[in-house]
Structures are given as C-alpha cells and as structure tokens.
Amino acid sequence: MLLGHLERGIWKFQSPQVTKKFITFWPWAAAIVSGLLCTACFPPFNVAWLCWIALTPLIAAIWFSGEDSKRRWLRNLLLGYVAGLVFFTAAFSWLGSLGTLYQSVPLHGLSFLLSIYLGMHFAFWAWFAGLIRPGDCLSSWRNLLVAFLAASAWATHEWVRGWLFSGFGWNGLGVALHANWPLIQIAQFTGVSGISFAIAFANVIAVTTAVRLFLETRSRQMRAHFDLTLTMLGIVALFSFSIHTIQNPSATKPLFVAAVQANVPQQQKFDPQFTAKIFEQLDRLSMIGLHSGQPIDLLIWPESAMPDPVREQNAPSYRFIMDFSASANTDLLLGSLDAEDRHDFNAALLVSDGRQKLQFYRKLHLVPFGEYIPLRHSFPLFAAIASRWVPGDFDVGREYTVFQLTNPNAQVAPLICFEDTIGELARRFVLRGANLLVNITNDAWFLQSAASQQHLANAVFRCIENRRPMARAANTGVTCFVNEFGRITQVLRDEAGSTFTEGVLTGEIDVPQDRQSTFYTRHGELFAKVCAGLTLLTIVGALVTRKLGRGGSPEPPAGD
C-alpha cells in the first residue's frame, strides 16, 4: 500500500493557509536541507551528531510527496541530485581557493563543477530509496528490512564514488564521526563503509519511527517499536565494541619522530629565488627537532619539500640533502620530485645511514586535474585550457614500497598527499609489512581553508582499519600524530591555536610489534562489495516485480 494517504493526512492536519504552491515546493526544500545538514557534519563545522538525521528530510521528500507524479522515479532522482549538488558544492567549497591562488575567476567554481558529477551518486540513492518505499511504516520488521536495504545502497554509492573515474571518496557519511573514536572501531572490519551503513540505517529508522508515531497517535493504537529498539541496541553495541577494543591495545615499542612543517607559500615552492630560503627553513626547524632532548629515530619533511629532484646529483637539492643527512645522524623521510627516462614522478625518499642508503617510493594514486589531465591527448582544446594550471603530467608509480628504517622496530608506508584517504591503497602497504603510516602532504594549494581539516578527517580511518599509527608532516595545514585507534594524540599549533604555521612537532609514537592483520587489511572493502551485491539483487528483483505487476495489475509498484 502506498503512502500517499499519509501525505494528504499531514497537509490536512496543517493550517488551512498552507497553499498548493508551498506543498509543491517543500520536497525540494527538504532535499536542500539534507544537503546542508550533511555539509554541517564535516569540517570546518564539525557538528557530527547531525549525521544521524541529515538524510531524514530527503527520505521524507522521496516517500511522502509526488504521489500523482507520472514519473515519480525521475522526480526522486532529481530530489537526490539537488541534495548532492548542495552537499558537494558546499562541502568542497575549499576548491575555490585555487581561484584565489591562481587569480582565476573560473577556478572559484570548481566545487560546483565537481558536484555536477558527484551529485549523481546521491541521485542513485534517492531513486533506490523510492524503489523500496514501504507500503506503510507500521511493521517493525518491514521497516528494518527497508532500512537495511537503504543502508546497503548508501554504502554502495560511497564505495563506487571512491573508485569510479579514479575516485573521490572524501566525506562519506561515516567520516562525520572521525573525532568520535570510541564509536568507530568497527572500521577494522568494514572500513568507513560500515559506519556509513549504520548512520544511513539510523536515518531511515528515524523517519519510519516518526511516521509510526504520527499514525498511531491518530488511530490511538500504539504498538511495540522493535525497529527503533534494535537500532538503538545496535548503536550501543558499536560503542561497547569500540570501548572493549581500545582497552586491549597491541604490544608496541616507541619510535621518536620529528615532523617539520615549513609553511612555504605555494607560489614560492618551485621558484629558484626562494631555494636558499627553503633550505634555511628546513635546516633550522629540523635542528630544533633534533635537539629537543630526545634522540630522534625519524625526521619527516613534507611533500615536495625540495624545489628540484633530489636524485639528480647536479641539483642544489641533492647537495643540500646529502650534506644535511651526513650531519643529522638520523633517518630522513621527505617528499621530492623524481625523474627517470623523461618520466616525472611525485616521490618520497628515505635517506638513512648517514646518506649511505637511499630508498624511494613513487606515488601510485595521482590526483586528476592536479597531477595529471585525464585524456590530455584525446581532447587537445580541453588540454590546452587545463594546461594553464597543470602544464605536464606526472607518471604513476608501480611499487608499494615499504621503507626500512635504521630502527628495526618500524617499517614505514610512505603515503603522499591524498593517498592516506584511500583505504584500499594503505592496506596494501600494511600487507607488505608496514607497521607505521607516514603521510607527507602539501595542502598549501588550498590556502587556509577547510581542506586540510577534511583531509585529516578522512585519513584517521586508515589507522583504525589497519591498526597502525600515523605520523603526518604537512607543508602547512595539519601536522600531527594519530594512534592506532584513530585518536589524534599531538597536533602542531601556534600560540593562537592555528595549524597554519611553521614549526616542528616532536613526540613518541607507539608502533605495534605483533604485525597481526585486521579483517579489513586482509579483505579490504569486502563489506561494501557485499552491500553492492545486495543492492544489485534488490534492483533486479524490484524491476522484475514491476514488469510482472504491469502485466497483471494496473497498480504501479512503490518505485514508480
């Protein structure tokens, strides 16, 4: 049974002054509100609790409006698309910082351009939510089934968004809880997808519970709400599991780390006239860290710390690094350009044993339109326009290189830039023996925007998924240490509390020694893939049912 009578009942219950125009408008307003609520869950706002209700306006709009629409499925698609446009445009507004950096008006609209594509993922979920729309909300078990299927579809669309067309999986719904580490330890099994699943599930139950209360109040026939009860018990179970996990840490050994944040403006990083200044900053800040009173096992400089390739022996950076390493008496991990046979790479290097040993890793996951232009040679006109900001393409690395430190207790996964936001990539380093994640990044591209905070929010889940701590060295933004439970233990800040500063962060990181692999490390996004399979089966079943229904009955299915 469709829920059109509920919509009519709600509006009848409202004031007589409610106009037809307002009734037509409210679903679109609800979609916009969902987009705004989702935005508020993430940095810089960080109102994390809103994630538990952020989808409810959109769900209500899909289920309780458009009863007389001829193509209700298309209407649901558009409602979801509007919510996605609002969310992605607002959440990724920091992309507009590139417009300020390059003094280009068109670049200020990058977040909207990106949302034109990303909004399609929201649209798919809205269409799916309409497809499984319950006949009524009075059955607890049916509500649980609908919530389960809707949550599976949500986990599916976030997973697909993370890899389709090279992927941009930032700010999945579960990431909203990045600071609530006593609640998110289930990620060691499911990744972020499992947390997003739980949140989407709770959103659906919130809507069905509200509808049930409305209908039961009118009929004066109250029933037991097993759906709400089991959902609340599930959230309590997640919390209990997380607390139990945190109270049983693995055996560790200390590693003393110094992470340098030089705060070099992006316009100066590769300008030869600032080379000497950059060398002086790195040397000065490193000496502060090395003479902090504790012998340092690992010194970290950020992504692209050097203005030219370190491995070219005639380059100024090579001479500076070799001289510095010979006197520093510690392992140095830094970001650098690398070139070989006319191929350019974004690389990380580890200099150890007083410059006698050099290990290097070439970035595996490149950022489209930042490190390369997709289809540059297929669309010359487009490439000519984009080349103003990305004149050449980096090449992709081939090896998941694990750095071996002089200290035998730590093997390092060198994650460059946004690679620490990709679960499938990080876990492959751990499978190869890494027990410490190190992220070197340069968030100066985005000035003092929310980009660096969102970057960190997405990155902390790599620690939980693999039970490995992380050290982050940023050119500017957030230089910090994160433990194996995703808790940020130390952050570099200035006296005013800002993370956009120069300085050095020194401290002790507890590195696990048992080398046990989590379920996620071994199996990756298995949970999301299972959700994708269930979603596909549901879609096929619903379409078959619709076809059979049209052949034998004039009554359209719930998804129409």
Side-chain angles (χ1 to χ4, degrees), residues 172-188:
L173 204 56
V175 177
L177 299 179
H178 66 275
N180 295 277
W181 50 272
L183 190 60
I184 57 178
Q185 302 305 313
I186 193 69
Q188 68 173 305

Side-chain angles (χ1 to χ4, degrees), residues 314-387:
N314 295 325
S317 294
Y318 174 83
R319 296 191 297 272
F320 170 70
I321 291 296
M322 293 301 105
D323 292 342
F324 177 87
S325 298
S327 61
N329 194 31
T330 190
D331 290 354
L332 170 64
L333 193 159
L334 72 150
S336 170
L337 303 178
D338 192 30
E340 184 177 28
D341 298 331
R342 297 183 179 180
H343 294 282
D344 297 313
F345 302 92
N346 188 355
L349 290 87
L350 180 72
V351 186
S352 57
D353 294 335
R355 81 180 184 183
Q356 298 301 314
K357 186 176 181 181
L358 180 65
Q359 303 171 58
F360 65 93
Y361 158 73
R362 292 166 174 170
K363 193 179 183 194
L364 291 163
H365 186 89
L366 301 181
V367 179
F369 304 104
E371 293 172 315
Y372 75 101
I373 301 297
L375 304 175
R376 181 190 291 270
H377 302 294
S378 301
F379 299 95
L381 179 60
F382 169 72
I385 297 172
S387 293

Side-chain angles (χ1 to χ4, degrees), residues 422-437:
I422 305 170
E424 281 285 358
L425 186 146
R427 79 178 185 91
R428 295 184 185 277
F429 284 96
V430 178
L431 286 173
R432 287 161 173 78
N435 60 352
L436 173 64
L437 310 178

Side-chain angles (χ1 to χ4, degrees), residues 431-452:
L431 286 173
R432 287 161 173 78
N435 60 352
L436 173 64
L437 310 178
V438 172
N439 175 237
I440 54 175
T441 186
N442 174 29
D443 292 338
W445 293 100
F446 308 109
L447 308 179
Q448 296 188 16
S449 67
S452 60

Side-chain angles (χ1 to χ4, degrees), residues 186-457:
I186 193 69
Q188 68 173 305
F189 296 102
T190 65
V192 182
S193 297
I195 304 168
S196 294
F197 176 97
I199 295 172
F201 190 102
N203 272 264
V204 175
I205 294 300
V207 173
T208 58
T209 298
V211 173
R212 285 189 67 178
L213 290 174
F214 172 78
L215 295 176
E216 290 171 352
T217 299
R218 296 192 71 186
S219 65
R220 298 182 180 179
Q221 294 181 350
M222 303 300 293
R223 304 181 184 182
H225 288 225
F226 295 114
D227 47 355
L228 177 62
T229 302
L230 291 176
T231 300
M232 297 303 295
L233 286 175
I235 295 173
V236 171
L238 287 179
F239 181 81
S240 300
F241 171 79
S242 296
I243 294 299
H244 172 75
T245 300
I246 293 168
Q247 291 176 342
N248 293 275
S250 57
T252 63
K253 289 188 178 181
L255 187 78
F256 296 96
V257 178
V260 171
Q261 180 166 296
N263 200 31
V264 178
Q266 187 59 39
Q267 300 90 331
Q268 298 180 12
K269 284 190 68 65
F270 302 106
D271 189 333
Q273 67 177 317
F274 293 101
T275 297
K277 178 183 176 183
I278 293 172
F279 289 170
E280 185 277 329
Q281 280 183 289
L282 291 171
D283 182 78
R284 172 173 50 84
L285 294 171
S286 298
M287 288 301 109
I288 294 174
L290 293 175
H291 295 90
S292 60
Q294 176 65 51
I296 298 299
D297 297 301
L298 177 62
L299 176 65
I300 309 172
W301 292 352
E303 177 189 13
S304 302
M306 295 290 97
D308 45 45
V310 170
R311 296 207 303 155
E312 292 186 3
Q313 297 188 9
N314 295 325
S317 294
Y318 174 83
R319 296 191 297 272
F320 170 70
I321 291 296
M322 293 301 105
D323 292 342
F324 177 87
S325 298
S327 61
N329 194 31
T330 190
D331 290 354
L332 170 64
L333 193 159
L334 72 150
S336 170
L337 303 178
D338 192 30
E340 184 177 28
D341 298 331
R342 297 183 179 180
H343 294 282
D344 297 313
F345 302 92
N346 188 355
L349 290 87
L350 180 72
V351 186
S352 57
D353 294 335
R355 81 180 184 183
Q356 298 301 314
K357 186 176 181 181
L358 180 65
Q359 303 171 58
F360 65 93
Y361 158 73
R362 292 166 174 170
K363 193 179 183 194
L364 291 163
H365 186 89
L366 301 181
V367 179
F369 304 104
E371 293 172 315
Y372 75 101
I373 301 297
L375 304 175
R376 181 190 291 270
H377 302 294
S378 301
F379 299 95
L381 179 60
F382 169 72
I385 297 172
S387 293
R388 176 183 174 186
W389 301 290
V390 187
D393 294 343
F394 281 114
D395 287 281
V396 179
R398 301 299 178 189
E399 299 292 334
Y400 291 88
T401 306
V402 175
F403 287 166
Q404 307 296 321
L405 301 186
T406 301
N407 185 326
N409 297 324
Q411 284 74 47
V412 170
L415 306 174
I416 302 174
C417 192
F418 294 165
E419 287 187 324
D420 63 343
T421 67
I422 305 170
E424 281 285 358
L425 186 146
R427 79 178 185 91
R428 295 184 185 277
F429 284 96
V430 178
L431 286 173
R432 287 161 173 78
N435 60 352
L436 173 64
L437 310 178
V438 172
N439 175 237
I440 54 175
T441 186
N442 174 29
D443 292 338
W445 293 100
F446 308 109
L447 308 179
Q448 296 188 16
S449 67
S452 60
Q453 300 173 51
Q454 289 186 15
H455 185 178
L456 174 60

